[in-house]
Amino acid sequence: MSDAEASRSAPPQNLDEAGAVVRGAEPAPATTVLRHMVYGSGLTHPLDYLVLLHALFRLETSEPFTPRDIWRDLQAEGIRSAKNSSEHVGRDAVYAAFNRIIDARFIRRTSEGGGPGRFGRTRYELYRQPAYNPEYAPPSEPWDPTEDPAFPHVGAPCPGTPEVEKADTKTAGGAASRNAGRGVTGSGVPGRGRPPIPPGRAASGVPGSGGALPPHPPG
């Protein structure tokens, strides 16, 4: 038997083919920042993004962490307080940012192992996509399209159709024509027909136009 054949047939040394492969304990070299984390996230404080980014980097290491760990990370990096630049960021400020991230549905707070009269163990689930959070609800429309006056209702003529124009322009007692300046004498539409001439007035209503009536003879 050759050496090559012997090496192929030899049993593996200290190798468990069913052993699980897990991530080693090392700092995360990178994390993913998605567009919705910045635009339309609902996070309005600069500290919210620092807390979220540190939580995402912690998540890459696959090791559990707590809000206290995030606060200690920020203090170790020398992050300053927004109220007093001579002091490090406070615990209450970091925890408030953590709560705002929960409200934005990036983190879900759950409790497990509780029972009657006792609190369970708190667990925080971090989501890169808040839409996967079971507590996420899409925002509702701020207005109802049927409230728009131009919305076509059932049974009503659509805007711009001859039915609407006919209904809008014909009124009871009015002339059949709706165009100003048209019509016949005696119609209620101004601009067409001769006005009645009172006695003693010129036949033409325009000064200097038409012939005057002859004067009455004396006596």
Side-chain angles (χ1 to χ4, degrees):
M1 181 183 294
S2 64
D3 293 340
E5 293 175 349
S7 62
R8 287 197 298 268
S9 61
Q13 299 295 325
N14 300 324
L15 179 63
D16 183 0
E17 64 180 7
V21 179
V22 298
R23 185 195 297 270
E26 62 179 356
T31 189
T32 303
V33 178
L34 303 177
R35 180 179 177 84
H36 65 265
M37 296 178 180
V38 180
Y39 298 94
S41 64
L43 304 177
T44 57
H45 294 68
L47 186 59
D48 300 348
Y49 293 97
L50 281 176
V51 173
L52 179 59
L53 286 174
H54 281 74
L56 292 174
F57 271 102
R58 283 260 187 182
L59 189 67
E60 294 288 348
T61 63
S62 299
E63 294 183 359
F65 59 93
T66 64
R68 184 186 294 112
D69 294 330
I70 301 297
W71 170 49
R72 289 176 177 174
D73 288 347
L74 295 178
Q75 285 213 325
E77 295 175 18
I79 303 300
R80 299 294 174 175
S81 170
K83 295 182 179 180
N84 189 353
S85 59
S86 62
E87 297 180 357
H88 288 165
V89 62
R91 182 191 62 180
D92 293 345
V94 174
Y95 290 178
F98 210 88
N99 283 326
R100 287 191 293 268
I101 296 174
I102 293 175
D103 293 338
R105 299 297 185 264
F106 285 99
I107 294 179
R108 180 192 182 200
R109 185 183 188 276
T110 62
S111 181
E112 56 184 10
R118 64 174 184 175
F119 294 101
R121 182 180 179 182
T122 301
R123 173 190 174 101
Y124 294 103
E125 300 174 354
L126 179 57
Y127 293 87
R128 297 183 185 276
Q129 294 276 4
Y132 291 111
N133 187 335
E135 297 180 354
Y136 174 82
S140 59
E141 290 290 341
W143 56 277
D144 186 358
T146 59
E147 297 177 359
D148 191 342
F151 185 84
H153 296 277
V154 178
C158 295
T161 59
E163 291 79 5
V164 173
E165 295 181 359
K166 185 176 180 181
D168 291 342
T169 56
K170 254 190 176 181
T171 56
S177 173
R178 60 187 177 89
N179 296 325
R182 300 290 301 274
V184 294
T185 305
S187 67
V189 181
R192 184 62 186 268
R194 298 180 181 180
I197 302 175
R201 295 290 303 275
S204 173
V206 181
S209 176
L213 295 176
H216 295 285

